[in-house]
Amino acid sequence: MADLDAFRADVRDWLEANCPEEMRQPIQDEEDVVWGGRTFNFTEPQKLWLDRMAGKGWTVPEWPVEYGGGGLDKAHAKVLREEMRKIGARAPVQSFGIWMLGPALLKYGTHEQKLEHLPKIARGEIRWAQGYSEPNAGSDLAALMTKCEDKGDHYLVNGQKIWTSYADKADWIFVLVRTDFQAPKHEGISFILVDMDQPGVTTKPIKLISGKSPFCETFFDDARAEKHNLVGELNKGWTVAKYLLTHEREMIGGMGSGAMRPMGDVAVQQVGLNEHGMLADPILRADVVRAEIDGLAFMSTMERVADEAKAGQGTGANSSMLKYYGTELNKRRMELMMDSAGSSGLEWDADEDVARMWLRSKGNSIEGGTSEVQLNIIAKRILELPSA
Amino acid sequence: MAMVLNEEAGMLKDAARGYLKASAPVSQLRKLRDSGSEDGFDRKTWADMAEMGWTGVLVPEAHGGVEMGHVAAGVIAEEMGRTLTASPYISTAIMGATALSRFGSDGQKSEWLPRIAAGEAITALAADEGRKHNPSRVAVSAERSGNGFKLNGRKTFVAEGHVADMLIVSARTAGSENEAEGITLFLVPRDAAGVTVERKDTVDSRHAADIVLDNVDVTADAVLGEVDNGLGALEAVLDAGRAGLSAEMSGSAQQCLDSTVGYLKERKQFGQIIGTFQALQHRAAHLYSEVELGKSIVLKALQTLDAAPDHAAMMVSAAKAKLGQVAQLAAREGVQMHGGMGMTDEFDIGFYMKRVRVAEALYGDANYHADKFARMRKY
């Protein structure tokens, strides 16, 4: 404990001296989010903050030092997060590299693969995209058909991915490909890393109901992948894929919690109070308070599941429960935001952009495995109900 | 604070589960009902609980208890919720012990706490007067008389009031019926002259009582806490009970889920185990998620009661509101997924539906606590 207290004091001093004032302000819009990568336009404070944090290894505090991390254990990393939260420090960089590829490489990658890719993720130099879904492989992801052929000194990739988040802004992509067309569907899949800076890889943004295009179609047309960039064994990619999906679910599920303003405060601001000091719309008030209580119970559950994992208890399949509940909760919250906003929420391109957030949230319970798929996983892996 | 049980609480949980499953399962409640038991609980089981230290779980060691705190108290309540073990545990070991150890005078503490810890005294909180829970609505009067008070009026739906040795009564010493100020708590022995207990059978095969106070004379020593300023203490005692009931409901909800999932794995229709049907799998999986959320908010509330009892009201209301809904969902889904069998008295699932309906209503139902939560959030 004394060690943790000393560490906390050091962290506090360091953050105070090194976190630029601009990086302590709440995130206002998408421009404030640092994704990193070859083409990212950093503001000066963003770059400064990223470099300083990366220098300490604190963009990925729990990764090993040799791969660009901070080498902290869970307890010390928690202290760092707490101290950052105290001063409102923004994440120096966020990316699919940190949330998804990094954990998968740490578990399944070779030492050389880790050395090549992880430090660049930690320093925000390379931005990764995820090549999972295909037009005919959505919830049934293992039905994917993107073809990967062994060409002796390299692989050749042909096919199409869809729902690749921000692929048009990404530098590299981790892709699930079929390397054996004869084997049962789960056993012919491999996990490979592809540099997108080549003519064989093209992207096309998809316009969503929100009017925005966070997702792309990504086409592979005789794209080249190096042999040393196959992660895990050939035809064993499904294991890596599932592990990575667990992290993706946790990330998406986490949207149902924290960071946002409490729903009640938003509703009060929009709708106002009546003469009894109660929200002026009584039915909305009831919906809002239920959502707040469920939010509190959900956050407590995230905390409990993490603490149980730390103590070696609990079940990994709980990431499905968190993903399911967190995204459904977030959709409820966005409906309540629209209810509260009234006509101002119906304006396209209004300042607060509630409408686009509301529309975007509908994807939460689809991406990363639909709510129905999560319920299937809970039924099968946790409740151990039989398959038909 | 880490949201896992420490070793001590984990051991207590195992011990409680082992004992209750073997010695006080649902069949005990069924037997008590069928034999028309006037106590509504088993005296031998209650003595065993005292022997194991459960009745002293919140009693300070100086007064003969084991003082393990609310998380531990909740662990026991949760296991009782799994087996539907009927006992005055929440009214006495949780609420009575909280009332006396936090607000009692030295004399009151040494008179009652050792007896609570030993399982020799049962206490009940007589607070409500109407159909819906409302602790600041107090019409029962306590008029000064000599150097004491004279109590008059009627309290309703007093859990364990039919077996209590001592009643904790909220009465009005000043102000008008719905005012927060002017409420005082009194310790009233059940055998005091003028106390009438009207036992009622409740839907959960247990009992409650209406308490009629007719010119009951008590001395100034009977006042618990401060005169005219008892609502804060009353709320603190209620919160301890609400958290305990939430833990109980959490256990009941888990047991409903377990039994139902077990039934889905056995029952065959259309030539298949019905648990293979996705329509049922999704209902069960959703229920699992709700039960998990319930577990977490209960643990949070109990931990807050231990760490910062004066700032626990909001978390307790969140827990009571959430568990009221979760436990009732679990019972409803349980009955539905048991099909026709769920409607029979022979299957246990109906007992759960009836008990959680009572536990949900006691000391404020889910709507009451959602509203209270919103008020505390200033909307």
Side-chain angles (χ1 to χ4, degrees), chain A residues 262 265 268 278-279 285 289-290 292 294 301 303-304 307 318 321 324-325 372 375-376 383-384 386-387, chain B residues 2-3 265 276 278 281-282 285-286 288-290 292-293 296 300 322 367 370-371 373-374 377 379:
Chain A
D265 297 0
V268 169
M278 287 150 81
L279 200 63
R285 176 177 183 264
V289 70
R290 296 263 186 241
E292 280 205 341
D294 283 349
T301 305
E303 206 182 320
R304 182 168 64 85
D307 287 343
N318 266 332
M321 182 264 291
Y324 164 64
Y325 211 99
E372 290 70 23
L375 290 172
N376 286 346
L383 303 180
E384 296 177 332
S387 302
Chain B
M3 288 192 68
K265 289 175 184 173
T276 60
Q278 202 174 38
Q281 290 187 344
H282 283 193
H286 173 73
Y288 168 82
S289 309
E290 290 287 358
E292 286 297 303
L293 259 75
S296 314
K300 211 38 161 193
K322 183 67 185 164
N367 291 343
D371 177 72
F373 183 93
R377 288 272 293 111
Y379 65 86

Side-chain angles (χ1 to χ4, degrees), chain A residues 20-139:
Chain A
E21 199 47 48
E22 296 88 337
M23 294 295 102
R24 303 183 192 195
Q25 309 305 320
I27 289 189
Q28 299 288 350
D29 52 41
E30 282 173 35
E31 266 79 78
D32 290 342
V33 178
V34 175
W35 289 90
R38 290 173 186 148
T39 57
F40 193 83
N41 286 319
F42 292 94
T43 65
E44 219 168 284
Q46 282 175 345
K47 188 77 179 98
L48 193 64
W49 179 224
L50 171 59
D51 289 345
R52 284 174 175 172
M53 283 292 275
K56 301 282 281 186
W58 287 354
T59 55
V60 282
E62 290 176 52
W63 292 9
V65 175
E66 60 176 326
Y67 305 134
L72 303 185
D73 61 19
K74 283 191 194 307
H76 285 80
K78 191 172 172 190
V79 167
L80 172 61
R81 279 197 302 276
E82 284 168 359
E83 290 304 316
M84 285 176 68
R85 206 175 309 134
K86 264 184 211 157
I87 63 164
R90 292 182 190 171
V93 58
Q94 60 172 39
S95 73
F96 300 129
I98 293 175
W99 297 322
M100 298 196 260
L101 180 64
L105 273 184
L106 282 169
K107 187 164 170 79
Y108 294 101
T110 62
H111 176 61
E112 289 70 28
Q113 287 171 334
K114 292 176 196 173
L115 269 187
E116 181 185 349
H117 297 291
L118 293 178
K120 291 178 194 158
I121 293 173
R123 292 194 301 263
E125 291 169 6
I126 292 294
R127 182 168 178 177
W128 285 86
Q130 178 191 33
Y132 266 39
S133 298
E134 296 179 7
N136 290 316
S139 288

Side-chain angles (χ1 to χ4, degrees), chain A residues 249-260:
Chain A
R249 276 182 218 132
E250 281 167 9
M251 174 193 93
I252 300 171
M255 289 172 184
S257 70
M260 288 172 292

Side-chain angles (χ1 to χ4, degrees), chain B residues 12 19 41-61 63-69 72-73 76-77 80 87-98 100-101 112-123:
Chain B
L12 178 63
Y19 171 79
F41 71 100
D42 181 65
R43 296 271 175 186
K44 167 74 172 67
T45 303
W46 184 238
D48 287 348
M49 290 179 186
E51 183 78 13
M52 291 183 286
W54 299 1
T55 47
V57 69
L58 293 178
V59 175
E61 288 179 21
H63 294 287
V66 291
E67 202 176 14
M68 289 174 76
I76 297 170
M80 291 176 173
S87 83
Y89 172 76
I90 287 179
S91 83
T92 305
I94 293 185
M95 299 171 78
T98 298
L100 286 152
S101 63
W112 290 104
L113 286 173
R115 294 178 61 199
I116 288 177
E120 288 162 7
I122 292 170
T123 67

Side-chain angles (χ1 to χ4, degrees), chain A residues 345-366:
Chain A
L346 302 177
E347 265 180 66
W348 201 240
D349 278 333
D351 284 350
E352 302 219 351
D353 233 357
V354 192
R356 286 180 196 264
M357 282 162 60
W358 161 66
L359 289 163
R360 174 64 187 87
S361 74
K362 299 303 172 205
N364 295 162
S365 52
I366 301 170

Side-chain angles (χ1 to χ4, degrees), chain B residues 267-289:
Chain B
R267 170 78 174 161
K268 272 190 171 173
Q269 285 287 277
F270 307 104
Q272 289 177 66
I273 299 282
I274 62 172
T276 60
F277 300 143
Q278 202 174 38
L280 298 181
Q281 290 187 344
H282 283 193
R283 288 176 86 147
H286 173 73
L287 181 57
Y288 168 82
S289 309

